[in-house]
Amino acid sequence: MNRAQLIVSDACIGCGRCINVCPGGILHMGADGKPCIQDFDEFGWNGCWQCQHCLAVCPKAAVSVLGRRPEDSMPMPDPTTAEPVMDALVAGRRSCRRYLHRDVPRETIDEMLELLANAPNGGNKQLVEYTLVDSAETMDRLRALARAEMERLADEGIYPEGYDEQSYGDLKRWEKAVRPDMLFCGAPRILIPHAPLGHGEPVQDVIIAGTYFEPLCASRGLGAVMMTFPLDVLALMPDVRAPLGLPEDHYVGMIAGFGYPQIPYARTTQRRIDEGRIHRLSPAWSNLPIALPGRS
C-alpha cells in the first residue's frame, strides 16, 4: 500500500473543497470533520495523482501533501492585473529568428523547466522528458555538423521531407535577410520535449509542454521559436542526431529554440480570427428530440 502524506492543521474548517477537487477520489471527511486520505495501491489513475489540488484550493492553507507546504506556494494573481499581462504576452508572441550572443542564466532555464511540471498532461502522469542544449559551444557544434551534412545531402539531391530543390533554395535565400540560420533560426539554446509512445498521451503532452514553454520565455524577456524543420533534417542524419540521445520509442513534436531576441517587439500585432473560422453551436440544438437520462 502507498499513502500520500497528507497533513491537515487545526486551521481546517471542514469545507470539503479538497475532497471535491481530488481527481483520484481518495479523500473523505473523517469523524473529526477533517479530510482523510485512504490507502491506495499506486500513484496514478487508481490512487493519488500527485496533482496537489487539495493543497492549492484550501482557503485556510491547512493542507500539506507529498511534503509540500501551502506557505511555499505562489499566490494566485489578481485577474484584474493578470489579464492585460497575459493578453499582451499572447498577442505579442512571435517566432524569433534572430538572437543576441548572450547567455541565458542557468537559474532562469531551471526555473522555467520546473514550472513546466504544471503544464497539463494526460492523467497527470508527468511522462514528458526534456533534452536541453544550453551550451553555446555545443549548440554551435550541432549547428555546424547538421549544416555540413545537410549541404552534402542536397548536393546528392536528397532533401528533408516536404522539400525539394526549389524550396530548399528559398530557405537559403532567406538566410540573407530574414534568418541567418535556416536550420535552427539562429537559436543559441534549444529545448526538445519528448515522451514515451504507448503511455499516457505523448503527442498532446509534448505539444502542450512546448506551448507552455513559449510564454514562460516571453515573460522573462526571451524570444522563442517552435521548429519542426530541424527534426526532418536530423531524420536524414542519424549520426548527427544520435548525441542528442532522443529515444527511438519517444514522440518528438518540435524543437524549441530560445534566447534573448536581437529585434524585440515594440508592441503587439493585431491579428484576428475571421468570423467564418468560429463555429458556434446553434441554439436550436437544445430543441432536438433527444431523450436525456432520467427524463421522459
Side-chain angles (χ1 to χ4, degrees):
M1 289 287 186
N2 292 305
R3 180 182 290 276
Q5 184 183 20
L6 183 78
I7 300 176
V8 182
S9 73
D10 292 338
C12 174
I13 57 175
C15 66
R17 293 184 183 182
C18 56
I19 296 173
N20 295 148
V21 301
C22 176
I26 58 173
L27 298 183
H28 63 275
M29 195 65 75
D32 60 354
K34 295 182 178 180
C36 301
I37 188 168
Q38 68 188 48
D39 290 336
F40 53 89
D41 293 328
E42 61 182 20
F43 284 101
W45 191 264
N46 296 313
C48 175
W49 287 31
Q50 304 181 80
C51 63
Q52 303 177 35
H53 288 351
C54 52
L55 173 151
V57 300
C58 181
K60 297 298 182 180
V63 176
S64 298
V65 68
L66 300 167
R68 307 293 186 183
R69 305 179 306 168
E71 56 264 35
D72 296 327
S73 294
M74 291 182 283
M76 293 300 294
D78 181 345
T80 60
T81 56
E83 178 185 340
V85 173
M86 190 62 190
D87 288 355
L89 286 175
V90 171
R93 68 141 306 276
R94 77 281 190 188
S95 293
C96 183
R97 299 183 176 90
R98 286 177 174 269
Y99 295 87
L100 296 174
H101 294 290
R102 176 184 169 189
D103 284 339
V104 179
R106 171 69 180 271
E107 56 269 25
T108 298
I109 296 175
D110 290 347
E111 190 177 76
M112 292 190 294
L113 288 176
E114 183 174 342
L115 286 166
L116 282 179
N118 298 286
N121 59 96
N124 199 42
K125 295 182 182 296
Q126 299 289 345
L127 295 177
V128 179
E129 300 177 22
Y130 300 92
T131 294
L132 175 68
V133 177
D134 60 353
S135 160
E137 182 179 356
T138 302
M139 190 63 219
D140 288 343
R141 176 69 172 165
L142 173 62
R143 198 187 324 270
L145 288 173
R147 180 58 182 259
E149 181 64 4
M150 184 170 61
E151 289 291 320
R152 187 190 69 79
L153 292 170
D155 288 342
E156 297 181 6
I158 301 173
Y159 302 99
E161 183 177 356
Y163 287 80
D164 55 20
E165 183 178 3
Q166 179 178 341
S167 55
Y168 184 75
D170 289 339
L171 287 177
K172 295 187 69 173
R173 189 179 71 256
W174 292 336
E175 283 189 310
K176 298 177 181 179
V178 180
R179 46 182 173 187
D181 168 21
M182 70 174 178
L183 184 54
F184 291 104
C185 293
R189 305 289 186 273
I190 60 172
L191 179 73
I192 310 175
H194 50 94
L197 294 165
H199 304 277
E201 301 293 341
V203 176
Q204 293 90 332
D205 292 352
V206 164
I207 293 174
I208 290 173
T211 303
Y212 266 58
F213 183 68
E214 191 178 49
L216 287 174
C217 286
S219 66
R220 288 158 174 79
L222 299 171
V225 57
M226 300 298 157
M227 304 174 285
T228 57
F229 179 63
L231 292 177
D232 296 331
V233 170
L234 292 173
L236 297 175
M237 45 188 78
D239 290 343
V240 178
R241 175 186 162 116
L244 291 173
L246 300 173
E248 292 298 327
D249 62 342
H250 277 211
Y251 173 77
V252 184
M254 89 286 286
I255 293 178
F258 66 101
Y260 289 98
Q262 185 186 88
I263 306 174
Y265 266 25
R267 61 196 58 82
T268 68
T269 59
Q270 300 177 36
R271 288 176 287 218
R272 296 289 184 269
I273 297 177
D274 294 335
E275 185 64 28
R277 292 167 54 201
I278 301 174
H279 309 284
R280 293 183 170 88
L281 193 62
S282 169
W285 181 85
S286 60
N287 298 322
L288 293 177
I290 300 176
L292 298 177
R295 298 186 181 182
S296 56

